[in-house]
């Protein structure tokens, strides 16, 4: 995480320097983004020498980001369908999600991601940090158990792979 | 008046309708958290309106206003929630 | 040199598509804010729709202006919105829970009711509403 932010700052600074000293390319958003991505890629490849775990984790983080964006878009369309059709088909439930995440950062990230996916809203964390209460809009056939399994294997496992 | 301007005006109208509906919820909301939610939606709508206005006039200075507004919307909703929480615990 | 106006037209079309899609999401989210029966359902449906709508509108604006500093500012706003929106939603929902804001009458609360009783004490009967 620290290496990643340092790399982003370095890449932004380098791309601004690049555009200051060379006027070969037209200065617009697409080329700026491209140059930024090239610098990030070079820094990432250089990380294999001094920070191997960061080298391993970045592709997984990118895959997780795209999985999350896809999930968010699909669920938003589902909610939109629910809003514009007159009858309610939802079955709201409050389920208990037992946490495998231990540190505060992991729990915060997990709760934020659960909240940002439409249809689920994290209500509260119990005092001993073992249970996260989640308000779910849709129950599928498996009931509450299946929702818990989906959240645990979809979000928490991928998150824990990244942070440990 | 090209089709681009017309679509921008349609988007602006849609966001204004959003603002009116959010203010209805702000007025009738049965509890205080409902009003905080409606206020959040106000701020999001205003950021969208500022973005479309920037695109319509081509004046790039307005986007800084949107940055500040996104910061202040978060701070205001957090402080409202904190105030509500504190008042509840004092009653017990 | 002849392809320059074509790029402008392409950018305008893509940008207005993004903006109309974002406006549609915002409009649907606001209709949901008026229609849904209970605070928690509104909260879990609304904040995310509004976040996605604002993100799409700002992205459309960045595509239209096509400048690096504008793209940087837009990315700053989008990142900030995506970080702060779930935190604000979680805090408001938690406040509402401790303030005894009632759940919808069809919400299943079997496991949650004991937790509520334990933390809220005597005034924990939720009044149902429709």
């Amino acid at each position: 995480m620290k290496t990643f932010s340092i790399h982003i700052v370095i890449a932004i600074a380098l791309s601004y320097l690049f555009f200051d000293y060379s006027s070969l390319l037209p200065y617009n958003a697409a080329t700026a983004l491209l140059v930024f991505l090239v610098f990030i890629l070079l820094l990432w490849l250089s990380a294999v020498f001094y920070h191997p775990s960061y080298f391993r984790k970045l592709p997984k983080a990118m895959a997780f980001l795209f999985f999350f964006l896809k999930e968010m878009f699909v669920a938003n369309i589902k909610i939109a369908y629910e809003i514009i059709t007159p009858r309610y088909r939802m079955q709201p439930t409050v389920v208990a999600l037992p946490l495998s995440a231990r540190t505060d950062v992991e729990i915060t990230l997990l709760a934020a991601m659960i909240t940002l996916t439409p249809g689920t809203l994290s209500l509260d964390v119990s005092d001993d940090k073992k249970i996260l209460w989640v308000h779910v809009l849709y129950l599928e056939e498996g009931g509450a158990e299946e929702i818990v399994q989906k959240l645990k294997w979809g979000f928490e496992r991928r998150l824990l792979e990244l942070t440990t | 008046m090209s089709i681009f301007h017309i679509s921008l005006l349609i988007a602006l109208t849609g966001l204004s309708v959003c603002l009116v509906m959010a203010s209805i919820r702000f007025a009738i909301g049965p509890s205080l958290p409902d009003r905080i939610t409606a206020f959040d939606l106000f701020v999001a709508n205003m950021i969208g309106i500022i973005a479309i206005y920037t695109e319509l006039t081509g004046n790039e200075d307005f986007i800084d206003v949107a940055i500040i507004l996104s910061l202040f919307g978060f701070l205001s909703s957090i402080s409202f929630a904190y105030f509500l929480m504190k008042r509840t615990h004092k009653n017990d | 040199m002849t392809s320059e106006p074509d790029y402008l037209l392409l950018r305008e079309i893509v940008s207005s598509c993004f903006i109309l899609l974002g406006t549609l999401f915002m409009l649907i989210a606001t209709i949901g804010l008026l229609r849904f029966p209970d605070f928690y359902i509104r909260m879990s449906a609304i904040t995310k729709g509004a976040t996605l709508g604002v993100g799409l509108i700002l992205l459309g604006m960045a595509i239209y202006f096509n400048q690096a500093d504008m793209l940087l500012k837009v990315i700053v706003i989008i990142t900030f919105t995506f970080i702060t929106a779930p935190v604000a939603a979680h805090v408001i929902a938690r406040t509402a829970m401790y303030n005894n804001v009632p759940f919808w009458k069809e919400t299943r609360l079997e496991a949650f009711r004991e937790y509520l009783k334990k933390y809220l004490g005597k005034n924990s009967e939720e009044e149902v509403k429709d």
Side-chain angles (χ1 to χ4, degrees):
Chain A
M1 197 69 195
K2 212 159 88 184
T3 324
F4 182 60
S5 10
I6 292 174
H7 278 185
I8 281 188
V9 171
I10 291 176
I12 287 177
L14 279 181
S15 34
Y16 266 85
L17 282 182
F18 182 81
F19 276 114
D20 267 354
Y21 291 133
S22 82
S23 53
L24 295 175
L25 295 165
Y27 189 70
N28 59 25
T31 45
L33 198 62
L34 202 66
V35 170
F36 177 75
L37 287 182
V38 166
F39 279 129
I40 279 281
L41 192 67
L42 287 181
L43 286 172
W44 172 64
L45 286 179
S46 79
V48 71
F49 298 115
Y50 54 87
H51 206 316
S53 73
Y54 169 68
F55 182 76
R56 267 189 296 110
K57 276 175 192 166
L58 191 65
K60 276 184 192 167
M62 288 297 143
F64 185 43
L65 187 66
F66 280 110
F67 164 77
F68 173 65
L69 284 180
K70 190 206 80 182
E71 196 83 0
M72 185 175 171
F73 214 81
V74 167
N76 249 318
I77 288 174
K78 206 170 162 186
I79 292 283
Y81 183 73
E82 173 78 36
I83 289 177
I84 58 179
T85 50
R87 277 184 62 246
Y88 295 132
R89 290 179 297 103
M90 56 195 177
Q91 172 57 262
T93 314
V94 180
V95 300
L97 178 68
L99 287 172
S100 311
R102 276 287 151 260
T103 62
D104 285 348
V105 177
E106 289 165 3
I107 294 177
T108 310
L109 276 177
L110 185 66
M113 274 175 182
I114 284 176
T115 304
L116 208 49
T117 319
T120 53
L121 173 71
S122 57
L123 279 182
D124 200 2
V125 183
S126 64
D127 280 343
D128 49 358
K129 294 182 189 169
K130 285 211 174 72
I131 291 176
L132 178 68
W133 295 97
V134 183
H135 185 271
V136 184
L137 278 194
Y138 293 102
L139 273 190
E140 288 152 25
E141 299 88 58
E145 206 45 48
E146 192 180 328
I147 297 279
V148 169
Q149 291 305 319
K150 201 173 143 195
L151 286 176
K152 261 193 110 57
W153 292 103
F155 285 101
E156 196 179 16
R157 179 182 54 88
R158 288 173 189 246
L159 190 69
L160 286 181
E161 269 177 9
L162 288 180
T163 51
T164 54
Chain B
M1 191 70 117
S2 63
I3 194 134
F4 175 65
H5 282 269
I6 292 174
S7 68
L8 282 191
L9 288 180
I10 289 173
L12 214 52
T13 317
L15 286 185
S16 314
V17 173
C18 280
L19 217 51
V20 170
M21 287 198 285
S23 64
I24 292 174
R25 173 52 77 188
F26 193 84
I28 69 173
S31 60
L32 219 42
D34 279 304
R35 299 200 167 101
I36 302 177
T37 315
F39 182 76
D40 252 6
L41 205 59
F42 267 8
V43 173
N45 268 323
M46 281 317 291
I47 294 173
I49 285 177
I50 286 171
I52 295 177
Y53 185 74
T54 310
E55 189 163 344
L56 206 54
T57 57
N59 189 351
E60 298 171 8
D61 296 336
F62 281 102
I63 198 64
D64 300 336
V65 182
I67 297 179
I68 306 290
L69 196 57
S70 71
L71 227 156
F72 266 81
F74 170 66
L75 283 184
S76 59
S77 56
I78 287 288
S79 49
F80 264 125
Y82 177 72
F83 157 71
L84 259 179
M85 189 71 113
K86 212 174 163 185
R87 203 190 58 173
T88 313
H89 279 292
K90 199 170 281 180
N91 276 347
D92 283 345
Chain C
M1 222 34 215
T2 52
S3 62
E4 199 67 26
D6 287 341
Y7 278 133
L8 185 63
L9 187 65
L10 185 67
R11 272 188 348 228
E12 284 183 350
I13 290 173
V14 173
S15 160
S16 49
C17 281
F18 268 83
I19 286 182
L20 287 181
L21 195 62
T23 311
L24 194 68
F25 270 118
M26 292 277 262
L27 209 56
I28 288 174
T30 318
I31 294 171
L33 180 72
L34 277 182
R35 262 199 73 205
F36 275 162
D38 133 27
F39 169 73
Y40 302 93
I41 302 173
R42 282 199 284 264
M43 195 78 213
S44 68
I46 274 42
T47 319
K48 280 72 71 174
T51 310
L52 192 64
V54 167
L56 284 176
I57 289 175
L58 286 170
L59 214 58
M61 196 192 68
I63 288 174
Y64 175 70
F65 274 103
N66 200 15
Q67 290 165 359
D69 49 351
M70 191 60 93
L71 188 68
L72 188 66
K73 282 174 188 173
V74 164
I75 286 177
V76 165
I77 299 180
I78 291 178
T79 314
F80 202 81
T81 315
F82 268 70
I83 291 174
T84 57
V87 178
H90 176 75
V91 170
I92 296 172
R94 194 161 171 270
T95 310
M97 197 192 85
Y98 281 109
N99 270 324
N100 282 327
V101 172
F103 283 87
W104 190 34
K105 66 175 187 304
E106 289 182 21
T107 311
R108 293 190 188 165
L109 288 169
E110 293 93 8
F112 194 51
R113 193 158 273 148
E114 291 173 14
Y115 184 77
L116 272 181
K117 278 226 174 63
K118 188 172 144 201
Y119 278 88
L120 298 180
K122 51 188 184 304
N123 48 354
S124 72
E125 302 100 38
E126 307 89 16
E127 317 104 52
V128 290
K129 65 175 233 190
D130 32 27

